Amino acid sequence: MSIKKKLLLQHLLIVSLTVVLLETVFFLGLITYYYTGAADMLKNHAVSSAHFANRYLELSGTPLQQSLPKLKEHFQIPQAEMQVLSPNGNILYSTVGFSQHDQIKTPDMKQLDASQANSWIGKDEMTHERILAVAIPLEDQGYPVGILRYVASLKNVDAMVIKLCTFAVLIGISIILIVMLLSITLANSLTKPLLEVTNASKQLAKGHLETRMNEHYRGEFGVLAKSFNEMGSELLRHEKMKNEFISSISHELRTPLTSIKGWSETIMTGNLEKKEETKSGLQIILTETDRLIEMVEELLDFSRFTNETMKIQRQTFLAAPLLHSVTKQFEKQLLAKKQKIELQIDDALELYADRNRIKQVFINIIDNAIKYSEQPGTITITCRQVKQAFVCDCTDQGIGIKTSDLGNIQKMFYKVNENSPGAGLGLAICQHILQLHHGKLTITSSYGKGTTISFTIPLLSSSFKSSGGSD
Ligand code: ADP
């Protein structure tokens, strides 16, 4: 069953039950008020009339038959017919003048008691009209001499009760109808966003990643729509990233491969006697192969990092020897780009981190500083302890980065210049490695003047190291 139907049925059930319950209480109140009220009024009159009539019979010494005119005069009321009956139920006198010959045996005539009047509501045998009858014995010196009975027609009371009941039923039906209309509106307002999210998900599943939901809903549905749209944007971003990645990586792989292929052909078809030419060709092949290996390593890192399988293995090591060996690795590039490195590091500075991954961060940052410097200059690397953290700043005098690019260069595959070498993954991987060490990477730059790339990692206390803290 659909949610809409379920909601409507639930509302219908709750409202109908409430209305039925309230109407029952109302009907019971109505009946008590009109019928019991009328009976009580008649009974009170009968009791006080019988009391006075008994006193009259006792004091005057007149038999009942002769006292009838007096009783009529004093005890009749306009709302009801007054009857005086013999003790066995035959009518001796009636204010309507018409008298029935049969014995009256209605329930109000049974078990009569002088202290209180009996009442009965039912159909009159003669007129078939609904009546209210009240009876009380008349006594002379303690002996029953007759019965005083009042009979009132219920025609008007019945009409009033029916009128009020019909009115109440109509109000009940109107309430149910109004609530049903409101329920339909409410159910629509609930099911509409659900239908929208279902349709939008189907569209997403079909690959239409630009599908979005309306965000104008309030409350939980608004949040759902927003999350759905965020999910769509994220999927779209991933799809775009994947496409960019494929095109960028194909381009990146193609350049060294073309160069390797070109030089291999040259060497094969050329004169092997020309040793110098062969050697420089082989050197280029070697460099390009190294570049390919580096790129494949970066790609593997990227896949580990997107699959969240990159793990770090901490060990204690001195930072200075590591940094010295890394800078040594760059001697050739530094010479080629007319750059020099100035290193300021405390020799005793000890780290508890993944040595190879931290080396990778150093390599990446220094490589960028050299790669993106076009004029001869100095690259200053300062490593120090600030409070409980290892802080390293690498400042170059290179091309710098525009403020508009600064916020993006840490993103995967982001390159300021599409033609520059590299896949745009280096800084993203560095950032991830530092995050795994609970550290962070910050970049400040002045376009045309130079860039400072800094990173911080917390220096773990010896207690953490000995307890074998892992990430
Ligand atoms: P890549 O491997 O392509 O260099 P990175 O993630 O290391 O990728 O760097 C992303 C981009 O940030 C680079 O394409 C470059 O434009 C810019 N960049 C990084 N470091 C520097 C720097 N020291 N000076 C100027 N630009 C830099």
Side-chain angles (χ1 to χ4, degrees):
M1 197 192 282
S2 72
I3 293 184
K4 192 173 169 178
K5 269 191 190 161
K6 251 188 200 167
L7 274 175
L8 290 181
L9 267 178
Q10 270 177 9
H11 285 177
L12 185 68
L13 202 76
I14 295 171
V15 175
S16 308
L17 275 178
T18 317
V19 168
V20 167
L21 209 79
L22 287 178
E23 300 237 317
T24 313
V25 172
F26 177 74
F27 294 152
L28 286 176
L30 208 66
I31 287 167
T32 314
Y33 179 75
Y34 278 95
Y35 294 109
T36 319
D40 285 348
M41 198 266 285
L42 221 52
K43 269 158 107 180
N44 287 341
H45 181 73
V47 170
S48 59
S49 301
H51 177 73
F52 285 115
N54 291 349
R55 289 285 291 160
Y56 173 77
L57 290 172
E58 198 180 314
L59 293 174
S60 67
T62 330
L64 180 66
Q65 284 286 356
Q66 272 106 62
S67 310
L68 288 175
K70 280 268 177 225
L71 295 184
K72 177 204 164 202
E73 191 186 317
H74 289 104
F75 303 126
Q76 73 169 350
I77 47 171
Q79 301 92 327
E81 170 192 356
M82 187 189 102
Q83 295 174 344
V84 178
L85 300 101
S86 65
N88 54 9
N90 287 321
I91 297 182
L92 301 176
Y93 174 78
S94 161
T95 49
V96 292
F98 176 79
S99 63
Q100 193 179 335
H101 297 294
D102 291 341
Q103 224 180 6
I104 294 179
K105 289 180 187 157
T106 50
D108 56 307
M109 297 291 287
K110 287 179 189 143
Q111 291 169 356
L112 287 165
D113 177 353
S115 61
Q116 63 181 60
N118 285 350
S119 70
W120 167 73
I121 289 176
K123 243 183 192 168
D124 186 87
E125 276 182 9
M126 294 277 292
T127 59
H128 300 294
E129 201 182 29
R130 263 169 50 83
I131 51 159
L132 163 67
V134 165
I136 188 163
L138 289 173
E139 288 175 347
D140 188 359
Q141 317 234 358
Y143 293 101
V145 287
I147 299 164
L148 179 64
R149 190 169 182 249
Y150 287 96
V151 179
S153 161
L154 286 177
K155 204 172 151 193
N156 289 341
V157 179
D158 280 349
M160 178 56 91
V161 169
I162 288 172
K163 199 171 148 190
L164 287 174
C165 285
T166 318
F167 193 58
V169 167
L170 284 178
I171 288 183
I173 292 173
S174 316
I175 290 176
I176 293 176
L177 284 178
I178 290 171
V179 172
M180 280 325 286
L181 278 178
L182 288 176
S183 295
I184 291 172
T185 325
L186 185 80
N188 279 341
S189 75
L190 286 177
T191 49
K192 201 176 153 221
L194 283 179
L195 271 179
E196 203 186 322
V197 83
T198 314
N199 290 337
S201 332
K202 278 184 189 160
Q203 289 299 316
L204 268 196
K206 278 184 194 161
H208 303 301
L209 300 182
E210 63 296 331
T211 313
R212 296 289 175 271
M213 273 184 77
N214 264 327
E215 281 187 14
H216 64 255
Y217 300 112
R218 276 193 232 139
E220 282 86 347
F221 283 122
V223 178
L224 174 73
K226 236 182 177 164
S227 319
F228 182 90
N229 289 348
E230 274 167 19
M231 181 183 79
S233 309
E234 200 54 20
L235 283 174
L236 200 65
R237 200 175 68 81
H238 273 251
E239 181 69 15
K240 219 170 135 200
M241 214 173 79
K242 192 185 81 188
N243 293 339
E244 275 171 14
F245 169 71
I246 293 171
S247 76
S248 130
I249 219 63
S250 327
H251 179 77
E252 289 305 318
L253 291 174
R254 198 187 200 162
T255 322
L257 283 174
T258 317
S259 165
I260 291 170
K261 188 175 179 239
W263 276 102
S264 309
E265 278 170 358
T266 313
I267 293 168
M268 224 165 74
T269 53
N271 188 351
L272 289 175
E273 296 298 303
K274 287 182 181 171
K275 280 205 173 148
E276 270 316 300
E277 196 187 295
T278 311
K279 212 176 154 189
S280 67
L282 285 172
Q283 185 56 51
I284 291 171
I285 292 175
L286 201 68
T287 320
E288 293 299 306
T289 317
D290 278 345
R291 210 174 128 194
L292 277 177
I293 292 173
E294 212 175 278
M295 267 165 61
V296 171
E297 279 301 327
E298 262 194 355
L299 283 177
L300 281 174
D301 272 349
F302 162 71
S303 106
R304 279 186 208 116
F305 142 40
T306 45
N307 294 335
E308 300 198 358
T309 50
M310 190 189 269
K311 293 266 178 302
I312 55 163
Q313 280 173 348
R314 290 182 188 269
Q315 66 184 100
T316 308
F317 60 91
L318 288 167
L322 176 73
L323 201 49
H324 283 298
S325 85
V326 170
T327 46
K328 214 169 164 39
Q329 250 178 259
F330 284 102
E331 266 174 2
K332 263 194 196 164
Q333 282 112 301
L334 286 166
L335 212 65
K337 291 294 266 306
K338 298 199 174 75
Q339 299 294 316
K340 98 179 163 326
I341 288 189
E342 251 181 48
L343 202 58
Q344 294 161 18
I345 182 166
D346 175 0
D347 284 343
L349 212 54
E350 211 175 48
L351 286 175
Y352 180 62
D354 188 321
R355 193 176 183 279
N356 286 333
R357 291 296 181 192
I358 296 297
K359 185 177 172 186
Q360 197 178 342
V361 173
F362 279 134
I363 291 177
N364 237 304
I365 291 173
I366 298 172
D367 185 41
N368 278 351
I370 302 170
K371 232 171 23 181
Y372 301 110
S373 291
E374 277 161 5
Q375 306 292 328
T378 307
I379 298 166
T380 317
I381 302 173
T382 329
C383 296
R384 61 200 187 282
Q385 179 174 353
V386 179
K387 290 180 185 162
Q388 274 308 299
F390 172 82
V391 180
C392 181
D393 300 322
C394 174
T395 307
D396 63 55
Q397 297 171 329
I399 58 170
I401 304 160
K402 283 185 191 154
T403 327
S404 53
D405 289 314
L406 213 54
N408 294 319
I409 58 167
Q410 290 173 56
K411 289 183 184 164
M412 288 186 285
F413 306 115
Y414 191 88
K415 290 180 11 174
V416 173
N417 179 358
E418 277 304 312
N419 301 322
S420 68
L425 278 173
L427 287 178
I429 291 173
C430 285
Q431 176 154 287
H432 191 67
I433 292 173
L434 292 167
Q435 273 167 1
L436 288 175
H437 284 87
H438 309 293
K440 63 174 193 229
L441 183 90
T442 41
I443 305 163
T444 48
S445 186
S446 167
Y447 186 56
K449 287 189 182 159
T451 305
T452 299
I453 300 200
S454 314
F455 72 88
T456 310
I457 34 176
L459 286 169
L460 296 175
S461 69
S462 51
S463 63
F464 184 88
K465 292 177 199 172
S466 56
S467 70
S470 63
D471 295 276

